[in-house]
Amino acid sequence: MVFRKVVPFFMAFTGFSAEGIDLLQLNRLHNSKEFYEAHKMEIRRLAIEPFHRLIEEMAPTMLEIDPSFVTVPSRMVSRVRRDTRYTHDKSLYRANLWLFFRRPRRQFEDVPSFYVEVHPEFWAYGCWGAFGRGEMAEIRDMIRREDKLFLDAYKAVRACPGVVLGGETYKRPKFPDAKPAYQTWLNRKHLGVDFRETEDFAPILDGSFVQPMLRTMQKLAPFYRLLLAAKERAAVIPREAAR
């Protein structure tokens, strides 16, 4: 008798389902445990499982950026049920879903990450970090010294059309004498970059967005490394977050 090795079969990612996006929005509008339970398997099939297939497709490229990324889908995709304990919005369910590529983290810890989000009103992806105490202080030091990590990140963001620097800003400049080109970086309370599309949903419905997105994420690897270095340095030498 010949025994053959069984190779796990993963369905290829072919895009998100418009029906799945609509179902998430309908589930949020009903805001009912009864409606959710009645459609739970359908929500999983149409809305959650496509994210799992997308993770499988993205993983080889993302692991080139950081081999320490978690790649277990159940630990990477947001929940449909919302945590309403610390928010004024008491809606039970969300209409959007997202995934994170990030390193293992302790409970409630924020770590630098790449994300992909699908919302009824937009789809987006990007890279965010510098949330923890002292991380932006480290980044500001690197900016002012024109550290190579910052310069590489600065060039990387500028090389990605359609990607926009983000993060809440201070009302007054932190370092008004710094180079004008660096001001938008220096005055952030946290730091990230986003690509966001609000009109053309065809690329996420047919899956054609994946390869352009992965190329952009590869280009943004220096930005991710800047965020990662800031977190590591802030952990060694704690600083005031508002410095």
Side-chain angles (χ1 to χ4, degrees):
M1 182 179 294
V2 177
F3 293 92
R4 296 182 178 178
K5 183 178 180 181
V6 177
V7 179
F9 173 73
F10 298 105
M11 292 180 62
F13 177 74
T14 56
F16 289 100
S17 163
E19 187 180 359
I21 297 172
D22 290 342
L23 183 57
L24 284 174
Q25 189 170 27
L26 187 62
N27 183 59
R28 178 177 172 85
L29 289 172
H30 275 80
N31 197 35
S32 158
K33 183 178 180 181
E34 291 72 23
F35 183 90
Y36 172 73
E37 291 296 334
H39 296 82
K40 186 174 181 179
M41 297 308 296
E42 194 177 7
I43 289 172
R44 179 171 182 82
R45 178 175 62 85
L46 294 174
I48 298 173
E49 289 182 0
F51 271 95
H52 290 188
R53 293 195 288 272
L54 176 59
I55 288 168
E56 293 290 341
E57 184 162 341
M58 293 178 65
T61 298
M62 301 308 292
L63 288 172
E64 292 178 4
I65 296 174
D66 189 341
S68 297
F69 279 145
V70 173
T71 56
V72 179
S74 61
R75 296 172 58 190
M76 301 169 66
V77 180
S78 59
R79 298 177 184 273
V80 176
R81 176 64 188 258
R82 299 178 64 251
D83 184 348
T84 60
R85 291 175 297 174
Y86 310 111
T87 176
H88 293 296
D89 182 358
K90 299 303 180 182
S91 300
L92 298 176
Y93 304 99
R94 64 180 83 257
N96 59 320
L97 289 178
W98 61 85
L99 66 82
F100 285 118
F101 273 91
R102 59 190 175 192
R103 290 183 173 185
R105 65 192 187 109
R106 296 183 294 272
Q107 190 176 22
F108 304 125
E109 179 188 24
D110 289 310
V111 296
S113 60
F114 287 89
Y115 80 92
V116 183
E117 181 179 4
V118 177
H119 187 283
E121 297 179 358
F122 65 86
W123 58 276
Y125 60 83
C127 182
W128 278 79
F131 293 107
R133 188 174 182 85
E135 292 172 34
M136 274 308 303
E138 293 293 342
I139 288 178
R140 292 188 196 102
D141 279 352
M142 285 187 271
I143 293 172
R144 295 170 67 200
R145 292 186 284 104
E146 294 192 311
D147 186 288
K148 186 178 185 302
L149 279 170
F150 163 69
L151 293 177
D152 288 346
Y154 182 77
K155 293 175 184 177
V157 173
R158 289 172 61 87
C160 295
V163 170
V164 178
L165 194 71
E168 185 180 357
T169 59
Y170 290 102
K171 294 181 179 180
R172 296 181 179 179
K174 301 291 288 184
F175 299 98
D177 296 332
K179 289 184 177 181
Y182 299 163
Q183 289 296 330
T184 188
W185 290 68
L186 286 165
N187 294 323
R188 305 282 175 178
K189 296 181 181 180
H190 42 267
L191 196 61
V193 291
D194 301 295
F195 173 91
R196 177 174 293 210
E197 176 57 60
T198 59
E199 296 182 3
D200 185 6
F201 279 72
I204 67 163
L205 297 178
D206 63 19
S208 61
F209 78 100
V210 177
Q211 293 308 313
M213 175 186 69
L214 287 175
R215 289 193 291 271
T216 297
M217 288 183 171
Q218 285 177 311
K219 290 180 181 178
L220 289 173
F223 181 78
Y224 170 75
R225 287 193 286 270
L226 173 70
L227 300 177
L228 199 62
K231 182 171 182 62
E232 292 171 347
R233 295 181 187 185
V236 174
I237 308 175
R239 297 171 182 261
E240 291 296 327
R243 176 177 171 181

